[in-house]
Amino acid sequence: MRVSARADYAVRAAVELAVVPDTHRNAESIALAQDIPQKFLQTILCDLRRAGIVASRRGVDGGYRLGMPAKDISVADVVRAVDGPLATVRGERPQDLSYSGAAEALRPLWVAMRASVRGVLENVTLADLAARKLPARVRRIAESDDAWRNH
C-alpha cells in the first residue's frame, strides 16, 4: 500500500488539532508544527472540512478545530476524506473486479488486502495518536520484528 503525501499530511494535521481539541488553530501554525507546505495544507483542510472532520471559523479567533471528538475519527476517515477509498486496483474497488483463468484468485486477494488495511486504519483514532498510544492489536503488529524488515 502506498500512503500519499496528501494522506500523510492530512493525518498529521488532524492529529495536531486533536492534541488541543477545543482550540481553533490557523493553518500557518499547523503547517509550522508539522512541517507541511502551507498552501498544500489549505487544500487538505478544505477536504477535511467538507468531510466534517474539521470545522473552521473566520476572524481573529478563527482557524480550524476538529469537527467531532477525536475518539470518533479514525485514521481511515481522514485518509478517505483526502484520497478516497483505502484500497483500489487500477482505480476500481476490489469487489468490482473480475479475473479469469490463472488470475481468478486475485480478486479475493485484493479484497483481503483491503480488509487488512481497514483492520488497522479503522481501529486507530485521532485520540489514540494524540495520546501517542496505539490500540493493543495494532501495537502488536507494529512491534513484531517482521513489521520492520524490508522484504
Side-chain angles (χ1 to χ4, degrees), residues 12-34 41 45 55-57 61-66:
R12 288 165 48 193
V15 171
E16 190 67 29
L17 293 172
V19 173
V20 285
D22 296 324
T23 304
H24 282 81
R25 301 268 309 270
N26 65 34
E28 182 180 5
S29 74
I30 298 166
L32 284 172
Q34 288 299 317
L41 179 61
L45 289 168
S56 63
R57 182 170 71 188
D61 294 327
Y64 297 89
R65 66 171 176 75
L66 292 181

PDB file of all heavy atoms in Angstrom, residues 12-34 41 45 55-57 61-66:
ATOM      1  N   ARG A  12      -1.445  14.020   9.872  1.00  0.00           N
ATOM      2  CA  ARG A  12      -0.604  14.827  10.765  1.00  0.00           C
ATOM      3  C   ARG A  12      -1.320  16.102  11.206  1.00  0.00           C
ATOM      4  O   ARG A  12      -1.278  16.479  12.384  1.00  0.00           O
ATOM      5  CB  ARG A  12       0.722  15.144  10.080  1.00  0.00           C
ATOM      6  CG  ARG A  12       1.600  13.905   9.994  1.00  0.00           C
ATOM      7  CD  ARG A  12       2.758  14.022   9.037  1.00  0.00           C
ATOM      8  NE  ARG A  12       3.538  15.229   9.177  1.00  0.00           N
ATOM      9  CZ  ARG A  12       4.421  15.620   8.263  1.00  0.00           C
ATOM     10  NH1 ARG A  12       4.622  14.912   7.167  1.00  0.00           N
ATOM     11  NH2 ARG A  12       5.109  16.719   8.447  1.00  0.00           N
ATOM     12  N   ALA A  13      -1.993  16.768  10.273  1.00  0.00           N
ATOM     13  CA  ALA A  13      -2.730  17.991  10.613  1.00  0.00           C
ATOM     14  C   ALA A  13      -3.881  17.674  11.562  1.00  0.00           C
ATOM     15  O   ALA A  13      -4.112  18.405  12.537  1.00  0.00           O
ATOM     16  CB  ALA A  13      -3.250  18.658   9.340  1.00  0.00           C
ATOM     17  N   ALA A  14      -4.595  16.588  11.297  1.00  0.00           N
ATOM     18  CA  ALA A  14      -5.729  16.217  12.153  1.00  0.00           C
ATOM     19  C   ALA A  14      -5.255  15.853  13.557  1.00  0.00           C
ATOM     20  O   ALA A  14      -5.903  16.222  14.548  1.00  0.00           O
ATOM     21  CB  ALA A  14      -6.503  15.060  11.514  1.00  0.00           C
ATOM     22  N   VAL A  15      -4.142  15.168  13.669  1.00  0.00           N
ATOM     23  CA  VAL A  15      -3.599  14.828  14.995  1.00  0.00           C
ATOM     24  C   VAL A  15      -3.163  16.095  15.714  1.00  0.00           C
ATOM     25  O   VAL A  15      -3.371  16.231  16.925  1.00  0.00           O
ATOM     26  CB  VAL A  15      -2.428  13.815  14.884  1.00  0.00           C
ATOM     27  CG1 VAL A  15      -1.723  13.639  16.221  1.00  0.00           C
ATOM     28  CG2 VAL A  15      -2.921  12.483  14.374  1.00  0.00           C
ATOM     29  N   GLU A  16      -2.583  17.013  14.987  1.00  0.00           N
ATOM     30  CA  GLU A  16      -2.180  18.296  15.580  1.00  0.00           C
ATOM     31  C   GLU A  16      -3.405  18.987  16.189  1.00  0.00           C
ATOM     32  O   GLU A  16      -3.332  19.542  17.288  1.00  0.00           O
ATOM     33  CB  GLU A  16      -1.528  19.175  14.507  1.00  0.00           C
ATOM     34  CG  GLU A  16      -0.866  20.411  15.022  1.00  0.00           C
ATOM     35  CD  GLU A  16       0.370  20.166  15.874  1.00  0.00           C
ATOM     36  OE1 GLU A  16       1.087  19.165  15.692  1.00  0.00           O
ATOM     37  OE2 GLU A  16       0.610  21.008  16.768  1.00  0.00           O
ATOM     38  N   LEU A  17      -4.537  18.919  15.504  1.00  0.00           N
ATOM     39  CA  LEU A  17      -5.771  19.501  16.040  1.00  0.00           C
ATOM     40  C   LEU A  17      -6.322  18.688  17.209  1.00  0.00           C
ATOM     41  O   LEU A  17      -6.916  19.240  18.128  1.00  0.00           O
ATOM     42  CB  LEU A  17      -6.822  19.620  14.940  1.00  0.00           C
ATOM     43  CG  LEU A  17      -6.516  20.629  13.829  1.00  0.00           C
ATOM     44  CD1 LEU A  17      -7.537  20.511  12.709  1.00  0.00           C
ATOM     45  CD2 LEU A  17      -6.462  22.041  14.382  1.00  0.00           C
ATOM     46  N   ALA A  18      -6.113  17.387  17.178  1.00  0.00           N
ATOM     47  CA  ALA A  18      -6.626  16.506  18.236  1.00  0.00           C
ATOM     48  C   ALA A  18      -5.913  16.744  19.566  1.00  0.00           C
ATOM     49  O   ALA A  18      -6.490  16.509  20.632  1.00  0.00           O
ATOM     50  CB  ALA A  18      -6.487  15.041  17.826  1.00  0.00           C
ATOM     51  N   VAL A  19      -4.693  17.220  19.524  1.00  0.00           N
ATOM     52  CA  VAL A  19      -3.932  17.463  20.753  1.00  0.00           C
ATOM     53  C   VAL A  19      -4.573  18.576  21.579  1.00  0.00           C
ATOM     54  O   VAL A  19      -4.556  18.529  22.804  1.00  0.00           O
ATOM     55  CB  VAL A  19      -2.453  17.780  20.421  1.00  0.00           C
ATOM     56  CG1 VAL A  19      -1.686  18.211  21.657  1.00  0.00           C
ATOM     57  CG2 VAL A  19      -1.778  16.571  19.790  1.00  0.00           C
ATOM     58  N   VAL A  20      -5.151  19.560  20.917  1.00  0.00           N
ATOM     59  CA  VAL A  20      -5.854  20.659  21.589  1.00  0.00           C
ATOM     60  C   VAL A  20      -7.247  20.769  20.964  1.00  0.00           C
ATOM     61  O   VAL A  20      -7.525  21.684  20.199  1.00  0.00           O
ATOM     62  CB  VAL A  20      -5.076  21.995  21.484  1.00  0.00           C
ATOM     63  CG1 VAL A  20      -3.884  22.006  22.412  1.00  0.00           C
ATOM     64  CG2 VAL A  20      -4.640  22.268  20.071  1.00  0.00           C
ATOM     65  N   PRO A  21      -8.136  19.848  21.299  1.00  0.00           N
ATOM     66  CA  PRO A  21      -9.394  19.690  20.569  1.00  0.00           C
ATOM     67  C   PRO A  21     -10.356  20.870  20.585  1.00  0.00           C
ATOM     68  O   PRO A  21     -11.113  21.053  19.648  1.00  0.00           O
ATOM     69  CB  PRO A  21     -10.034  18.471  21.224  1.00  0.00           C
ATOM     70  CG  PRO A  21      -9.377  18.325  22.541  1.00  0.00           C
ATOM     71  CD  PRO A  21      -8.005  18.907  22.400  1.00  0.00           C
ATOM     72  N   ASP A  22     -10.365  21.685  21.600  1.00  0.00           N
ATOM     73  CA  ASP A  22     -11.344  22.774  21.670  1.00  0.00           C
ATOM     74  C   ASP A  22     -10.765  24.133  21.297  1.00  0.00           C
ATOM     75  O   ASP A  22     -11.369  25.165  21.572  1.00  0.00           O
ATOM     76  CB  ASP A  22     -11.955  22.836  23.079  1.00  0.00           C
ATOM     77  CG  ASP A  22     -12.746  21.574  23.386  1.00  0.00           C
ATOM     78  OD1 ASP A  22     -13.381  21.046  22.461  1.00  0.00           O
ATOM     79  OD2 ASP A  22     -12.719  21.120  24.541  1.00  0.00           O
ATOM     80  N   THR A  23      -9.605  24.112  20.680  1.00  0.00           N
ATOM     81  CA  THR A  23      -8.927  25.343  20.310  1.00  0.00           C
ATOM     82  C   THR A  23      -8.870  25.472  18.794  1.00  0.00           C
ATOM     83  O   THR A  23      -8.565  24.500  18.102  1.00  0.00           O
ATOM     84  CB  THR A  23      -7.479  25.333  20.866  1.00  0.00           C
ATOM     85  OG1 THR A  23      -7.538  25.130  22.279  1.00  0.00           O
ATOM     86  CG2 THR A  23      -6.752  26.620  20.559  1.00  0.00           C
ATOM     87  N   HIS A  24      -9.164  26.657  18.280  1.00  0.00           N
ATOM     88  CA  HIS A  24      -9.021  26.913  16.849  1.00  0.00           C
ATOM     89  C   HIS A  24      -7.555  27.214  16.553  1.00  0.00           C
ATOM     90  O   HIS A  24      -6.929  27.992  17.275  1.00  0.00           O
ATOM     91  CB  HIS A  24      -9.899  28.089  16.412  1.00  0.00           C
ATOM     92  CG  HIS A  24     -11.321  27.720  16.264  1.00  0.00           C
ATOM     93  ND1 HIS A  24     -12.193  27.635  17.326  1.00  0.00           N
ATOM     94  CD2 HIS A  24     -12.030  27.384  15.162  1.00  0.00           C
ATOM     95  CE1 HIS A  24     -13.389  27.281  16.886  1.00  0.00           C
ATOM     96  NE2 HIS A  24     -13.319  27.127  15.572  1.00  0.00           N
ATOM     97  N   ARG A  25      -7.037  26.563  15.532  1.00  0.00           N
ATOM     98  CA  ARG A  25      -5.639  26.777  15.112  1.00  0.00           C
ATOM     99  C   ARG A  25      -5.644  27.271  13.683  1.00  0.00           C
ATOM    100  O   ARG A  25      -6.373  26.745  12.841  1.00  0.00           O
ATOM    101  CB  ARG A  25      -4.861  25.457  15.159  1.00  0.00           C
ATOM    102  CG  ARG A  25      -4.787  24.765  16.505  1.00  0.00           C
ATOM    103  CD  ARG A  25      -3.575  25.155  17.308  1.00  0.00           C
ATOM    104  NE  ARG A  25      -2.321  25.047  16.605  1.00  0.00           N
ATOM    105  CZ  ARG A  25      -1.554  23.954  16.571  1.00  0.00           C
ATOM    106  NH1 ARG A  25      -1.934  22.844  17.169  1.00  0.00           N
ATOM    107  NH2 ARG A  25      -0.405  23.975  15.917  1.00  0.00           N
ATOM    108  N   ASN A  26      -4.802  28.244  13.371  1.00  0.00           N
ATOM    109  CA  ASN A  26      -4.738  28.686  11.980  1.00  0.00           C
ATOM    110  C   ASN A  26      -3.859  27.733  11.177  1.00  0.00           C
ATOM    111  O   ASN A  26      -3.053  26.980  11.743  1.00  0.00           O
ATOM    112  CB  ASN A  26      -4.294  30.144  11.866  1.00  0.00           C
ATOM    113  CG  ASN A  26      -2.882  30.387  12.347  1.00  0.00           C
ATOM    114  OD1 ASN A  26      -1.998  29.553  12.206  1.00  0.00           O
ATOM    115  ND2 ASN A  26      -2.663  31.558  12.922  1.00  0.00           N
ATOM    116  N   ALA A  27      -4.039  27.760   9.885  1.00  0.00           N
ATOM    117  CA  ALA A  27      -3.310  26.839   9.001  1.00  0.00           C
ATOM    118  C   ALA A  27      -1.804  27.029   9.122  1.00  0.00           C
ATOM    119  O   ALA A  27      -1.048  26.058   9.078  1.00  0.00           O
ATOM    120  CB  ALA A  27      -3.773  27.023   7.558  1.00  0.00           C
ATOM    121  N   GLU A  28      -1.374  28.269   9.303  1.00  0.00           N
ATOM    122  CA  GLU A  28       0.059  28.538   9.409  1.00  0.00           C
ATOM    123  C   GLU A  28       0.672  27.819  10.615  1.00  0.00           C
ATOM    124  O   GLU A  28       1.738  27.223  10.509  1.00  0.00           O
ATOM    125  CB  GLU A  28       0.313  30.045   9.513  1.00  0.00           C
ATOM    126  CG  GLU A  28       1.788  30.384   9.581  1.00  0.00           C
ATOM    127  CD  GLU A  28       2.039  31.877   9.692  1.00  0.00           C
ATOM    128  OE1 GLU A  28       1.067  32.658   9.822  1.00  0.00           O
ATOM    129  OE2 GLU A  28       3.217  32.263   9.654  1.00  0.00           O
ATOM    130  N   SER A  29      -0.001  27.856  11.759  1.00  0.00           N
ATOM    131  CA  SER A  29       0.561  27.213  12.953  1.00  0.00           C
ATOM    132  C   SER A  29       0.585  25.687  12.803  1.00  0.00           C
ATOM    133  O   SER A  29       1.523  25.036  13.258  1.00  0.00           O
ATOM    134  CB  SER A  29      -0.210  27.621  14.210  1.00  0.00           C
ATOM    135  OG  SER A  29      -1.470  26.995  14.281  1.00  0.00           O
ATOM    136  N   ILE A  30      -0.420  25.135  12.146  1.00  0.00           N
ATOM    137  CA  ILE A  30      -0.443  23.683  11.905  1.00  0.00           C
ATOM    138  C   ILE A  30       0.682  23.317  10.944  1.00  0.00           C
ATOM    139  O   ILE A  30       1.420  22.350  11.169  1.00  0.00           O
ATOM    140  CB  ILE A  30      -1.806  23.240  11.336  1.00  0.00           C
ATOM    141  CG1 ILE A  30      -2.927  23.531  12.333  1.00  0.00           C
ATOM    142  CG2 ILE A  30      -1.781  21.761  10.958  1.00  0.00           C
ATOM    143  CD1 ILE A  30      -4.324  23.442  11.732  1.00  0.00           C
ATOM    144  N   ALA A  31       0.809  24.094   9.880  1.00  0.00           N
ATOM    145  CA  ALA A  31       1.860  23.838   8.887  1.00  0.00           C
ATOM    146  C   ALA A  31       3.247  23.900   9.515  1.00  0.00           C
ATOM    147  O   ALA A  31       4.097  23.030   9.267  1.00  0.00           O
ATOM    148  CB  ALA A  31       1.744  24.834   7.734  1.00  0.00           C
ATOM    149  N   LEU A  32       3.469  24.904  10.355  1.00  0.00           N
ATOM    150  CA  LEU A  32       4.775  25.038  11.020  1.00  0.00           C
ATOM    151  C   LEU A  32       5.032  23.884  11.985  1.00  0.00           C
ATOM    152  O   LEU A  32       6.126  23.333  12.025  1.00  0.00           O
ATOM    153  CB  LEU A  32       4.861  26.369  11.769  1.00  0.00           C
ATOM    154  CG  LEU A  32       5.078  27.609  10.912  1.00  0.00           C
ATOM    155  CD1 LEU A  32       4.936  28.878  11.750  1.00  0.00           C
ATOM    156  CD2 LEU A  32       6.441  27.556  10.240  1.00  0.00           C
ATOM    157  N   ALA A  33       4.021  23.524  12.764  1.00  0.00           N
ATOM    158  CA  ALA A  33       4.187  22.458  13.758  1.00  0.00           C
ATOM    159  C   ALA A  33       4.494  21.109  13.107  1.00  0.00           C
ATOM    160  O   ALA A  33       5.231  20.302  13.666  1.00  0.00           O
ATOM    161  CB  ALA A  33       2.929  22.341  14.615  1.00  0.00           C
ATOM    162  N   GLN A  34       3.931  20.873  11.917  1.00  0.00           N
ATOM    163  CA  GLN A  34       4.094  19.575  11.277  1.00  0.00           C
ATOM    164  C   GLN A  34       4.981  19.619  10.026  1.00  0.00           C
ATOM    165  O   GLN A  34       5.109  18.622   9.327  1.00  0.00           O
ATOM    166  CB  GLN A  34       2.721  18.995  10.921  1.00  0.00           C
ATOM    167  CG  GLN A  34       1.948  18.534  12.131  1.00  0.00           C
ATOM    168  CD  GLN A  34       2.684  17.432  12.868  1.00  0.00           C
ATOM    169  OE1 GLN A  34       3.224  16.508  12.265  1.00  0.00           O
ATOM    170  NE2 GLN A  34       2.711  17.525  14.190  1.00  0.00           N
ATOM    171  N   LEU A  41      -1.468  22.416   2.562  1.00  0.00           N
ATOM    172  CA  LEU A  41      -2.292  22.167   3.734  1.00  0.00           C
ATOM    173  C   LEU A  41      -3.664  22.829   3.605  1.00  0.00           C
ATOM    174  O   LEU A  41      -4.674  22.249   4.011  1.00  0.00           O
ATOM    175  CB  LEU A  41      -1.591  22.642   5.010  1.00  0.00           C
ATOM    176  CG  LEU A  41      -2.378  22.463   6.301  1.00  0.00           C
ATOM    177  CD1 LEU A  41      -2.693  20.986   6.559  1.00  0.00           C
ATOM    178  CD2 LEU A  41      -1.618  23.064   7.477  1.00  0.00           C
ATOM    179  N   LEU A  45      -7.097  20.896   4.264  1.00  0.00           N
ATOM    180  CA  LEU A  45      -8.050  21.321   5.292  1.00  0.00           C
ATOM    181  C   LEU A  45      -9.443  21.538   4.697  1.00  0.00           C
ATOM    182  O   LEU A  45     -10.450  21.246   5.347  1.00  0.00           O
ATOM    183  CB  LEU A  45      -7.550  22.576   6.008  1.00  0.00           C
ATOM    184  CG  LEU A  45      -6.350  22.354   6.942  1.00  0.00           C
ATOM    185  CD1 LEU A  45      -5.752  23.693   7.375  1.00  0.00           C
ATOM    186  CD2 LEU A  45      -6.738  21.512   8.146  1.00  0.00           C
ATOM    187  N   ALA A  55     -13.747  21.636  11.428  1.00  0.00           N
ATOM    188  CA  ALA A  55     -14.657  22.776  11.305  1.00  0.00           C
ATOM    189  C   ALA A  55     -13.780  24.022  11.260  1.00  0.00           C
ATOM    190  O   ALA A  55     -12.671  24.029  11.801  1.00  0.00           O
ATOM    191  CB  ALA A  55     -15.601  22.824  12.503  1.00  0.00           C
ATOM    192  N   SER A  56     -14.280  25.041  10.611  1.00  0.00           N
ATOM    193  CA  SER A  56     -13.486  26.268  10.530  1.00  0.00           C
ATOM    194  C   SER A  56     -14.322  27.456  10.967  1.00  0.00           C
ATOM    195  O   SER A  56     -15.554  27.425  10.944  1.00  0.00           O
ATOM    196  CB  SER A  56     -12.980  26.488   9.102  1.00  0.00           C
ATOM    197  OG  SER A  56     -14.059  26.666   8.202  1.00  0.00           O
ATOM    198  N   ARG A  57     -13.602  28.490  11.382  1.00  0.00           N
ATOM    199  CA  ARG A  57     -14.251  29.733  11.807  1.00  0.00           C
ATOM    200  C   ARG A  57     -13.379  30.885  11.317  1.00  0.00           C
ATOM    201  O   ARG A  57     -12.152  30.841  11.449  1.00  0.00           O
ATOM    202  CB  ARG A  57     -14.371  29.758  13.329  1.00  0.00           C
ATOM    203  CG  ARG A  57     -15.080  30.989  13.845  1.00  0.00           C
ATOM    204  CD  ARG A  57     -15.396  30.897  15.312  1.00  0.00           C
ATOM    205  NE  ARG A  57     -14.170  30.993  16.089  1.00  0.00           N
ATOM    206  CZ  ARG A  57     -14.094  30.790  17.400  1.00  0.00           C
ATOM    207  NH1 ARG A  57     -15.163  30.429  18.070  1.00  0.00           N
ATOM    208  NH2 ARG A  57     -12.962  30.907  18.040  1.00  0.00           N
ATOM    209  N   ASP A  61     -10.125  35.207  16.060  1.00  0.00           N
ATOM    210  CA  ASP A  61     -10.029  33.988  16.863  1.00  0.00           C
ATOM    211  C   ASP A  61     -10.375  32.744  16.041  1.00  0.00           C
ATOM    212  O   ASP A  61     -10.669  31.699  16.601  1.00  0.00           O
ATOM    213  CB  ASP A  61     -10.973  34.061  18.068  1.00  0.00           C
ATOM    214  CG  ASP A  61     -10.561  35.152  19.041  1.00  0.00           C
ATOM    215  OD1 ASP A  61      -9.342  35.400  19.162  1.00  0.00           O
ATOM    216  OD2 ASP A  61     -11.457  35.752  19.660  1.00  0.00           O
ATOM    217  N   GLY A  62     -10.332  32.885  14.742  1.00  0.00           N
ATOM    218  CA  GLY A  62     -10.731  31.794  13.859  1.00  0.00           C
ATOM    219  C   GLY A  62      -9.633  30.781  13.632  1.00  0.00           C
ATOM    220  O   GLY A  62      -8.585  30.805  14.255  1.00  0.00           O
ATOM    221  N   GLY A  63      -9.923  29.896  12.726  1.00  0.00           N
ATOM    222  CA  GLY A  63      -8.989  28.842  12.383  1.00  0.00           C
ATOM    223  C   GLY A  63      -9.730  27.533  12.248  1.00  0.00           C
ATOM    224  O   GLY A  63     -10.926  27.497  11.944  1.00  0.00           O
ATOM    225  N   TYR A  64      -9.023  26.456  12.509  1.00  0.00           N
ATOM    226  CA  TYR A  64      -9.572  25.115  12.357  1.00  0.00           C
ATOM    227  C   TYR A  64      -9.545  24.377  13.691  1.00  0.00           C
ATOM    228  O   TYR A  64      -8.667  24.582  14.511  1.00  0.00           O
ATOM    229  CB  TYR A  64      -8.749  24.315  11.339  1.00  0.00           C
ATOM    230  CG  TYR A  64      -8.796  24.906   9.958  1.00  0.00           C
ATOM    231  CD1 TYR A  64      -7.871  25.862   9.561  1.00  0.00           C
ATOM    232  CD2 TYR A  64      -9.784  24.526   9.054  1.00  0.00           C
ATOM    233  CE1 TYR A  64      -7.915  26.417   8.293  1.00  0.00           C
ATOM    234  CE2 TYR A  64      -9.837  25.079   7.783  1.00  0.00           C
ATOM    235  CZ  TYR A  64      -8.901  26.021   7.409  1.00  0.00           C
ATOM    236  OH  TYR A  64      -8.961  26.571   6.162  1.00  0.00           O
ATOM    237  N   ARG A  65     -10.532  23.522  13.875  1.00  0.00           N
ATOM    238  CA  ARG A  65     -10.578  22.604  15.006  1.00  0.00           C
ATOM    239  C   ARG A  65     -11.261  21.345  14.503  1.00  0.00           C
ATOM    240  O   ARG A  65     -11.846  21.326  13.421  1.00  0.00           O
ATOM    241  CB  ARG A  65     -11.329  23.206  16.190  1.00  0.00           C
ATOM    242  CG  ARG A  65     -12.798  23.429  15.930  1.00  0.00           C
ATOM    243  CD  ARG A  65     -13.543  23.827  17.192  1.00  0.00           C
ATOM    244  NE  ARG A  65     -14.924  24.127  16.901  1.00  0.00           N
ATOM    245  CZ  ARG A  65     -15.873  23.212  16.633  1.00  0.00           C
ATOM    246  NH1 ARG A  65     -15.577  21.932  16.657  1.00  0.00           N
ATOM    247  NH2 ARG A  65     -17.108  23.583  16.353  1.00  0.00           N
ATOM    248  N   LEU A  66     -11.208  20.297  15.278  1.00  0.00           N
ATOM    249  CA  LEU A  66     -11.889  19.069  14.875  1.00  0.00           C
ATOM    250  C   LEU A  66     -13.396  19.305  14.839  1.00  0.00           C
ATOM    251  O   LEU A  66     -13.931  20.025  15.678  1.00  0.00           O
ATOM    252  CB  LEU A  66     -11.560  17.924  15.824  1.00  0.00           C
ATOM    253  CG  LEU A  66     -10.127  17.418  15.790  1.00  0.00           C
ATOM    254  CD1 LEU A  66      -9.947  16.269  16.772  1.00  0.00           C
ATOM    255  CD2 LEU A  66      -9.718  16.985  14.382  1.00  0.00           C
TER     256      LEU A  66
END
